[in-house]
């Protein structure tokens, strides 16, 4: 995933770390110096940092935001609305619980599927990896999201 994002030109990553997103955060950190990860303590900061990054770059470079699941995702909402209204590119990489652990009353678990509905141009709830799902499916989704 990270290799494909880098191949497509995504270099800047704003990361609000959490347990569910740790493997991806570690992969981004391992891809330095090609990847430029910035760790922040709050999802709202990560979202608005991505908005600011796109505004500050001459050609509106896309930044990726990585968060954990549940209420962490909801904290991105104000920056997503602002980015949408100003046509600012942003890539959201949000973790979620596996399907069997959704809607069971777990702490900080919310239904985050489609949470940004009208404010994103594309959304995909990527399934858990299995041998039955070819890697090319994920890479195709990444290519479509960044395009």
């Amino acid at each position: 995933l990270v290799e494909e994002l880098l191949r497509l030109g995504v270099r800047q990553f704003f990361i609000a770390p959490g347990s569910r997103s740790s493997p991806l955060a570690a992969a981004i950190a391992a891809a330095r110096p090609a990847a430029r990860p910035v760790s922040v303590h709050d999802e709202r900061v990560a979202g608005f940092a991505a908005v600011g990054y796109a505004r500050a770059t001459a050609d509106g470079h896309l930044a990726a935001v990585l968060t954990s699941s549940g209420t962490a995702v909801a904290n991105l909402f104000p920056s997503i609305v602002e980015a949408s209204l100003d046509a600012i590119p942003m890539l959201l990489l949000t973790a979620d619980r596996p399907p069997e652990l959704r809607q069971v009353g777990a702490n900080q678990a919310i239904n985050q599927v489609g949470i940004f509905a009208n404010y994103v141009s594309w959304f995909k709830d990527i399934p858990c990896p299995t041998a039955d799902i070819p890697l090319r499916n994920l890479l195709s989704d990444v290519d479509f999201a960044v395009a």
Side-chain angles (χ1 to χ4, degrees):
L1 175 64
V2 175
E3 183 180 317
E4 185 70 358
L5 289 171
L6 292 171
R7 189 186 72 73
L8 295 169
V10 178
R11 300 278 183 267
Q12 189 65 54
F13 296 83
F14 295 100
I15 302 169
S19 62
R20 297 208 181 273
S21 60
S22 293
L24 189 50
I28 292 167
R32 287 180 290 194
R36 295 188 302 264
V38 175
S39 181
V40 297
H41 296 288
D42 186 277
E43 295 82 11
R44 291 165 291 205
V45 172
F48 281 110
V51 169
Y53 176 81
R55 283 188 171 147
T57 57
D59 52 0
H61 274 259
L62 172 76
V65 176
L66 174 63
T67 68
S68 191
S69 60
T71 55
V73 176
N75 282 324
L76 292 173
F77 200 77
S79 62
I80 302 309
V81 171
E82 183 168 330
S84 175
L85 295 177
D86 289 346
I88 294 172
M90 184 185 307
L91 177 65
L92 305 175
L93 304 169
T94 61
D96 200 353
R97 285 169 162 61
E100 65 272 13
L101 295 179
R102 297 177 186 174
Q103 307 298 326
V104 295
N107 184 35
Q108 293 187 324
I110 64 169
N111 180 5
Q112 65 191 59
V113 175
I115 191 170
F116 303 122
N118 299 323
Y119 298 100
V120 294
S121 58
W122 188 73
F123 161 81
K124 177 78 181 252
D125 186 16
I126 296 175
C128 296
T130 69
D132 298 332
I133 302 173
L135 179 59
R136 69 178 174 272
N137 290 11
L138 173 63
L139 298 179
S140 176
D141 289 338
V142 171
D143 293 350
F144 187 81
V146 173

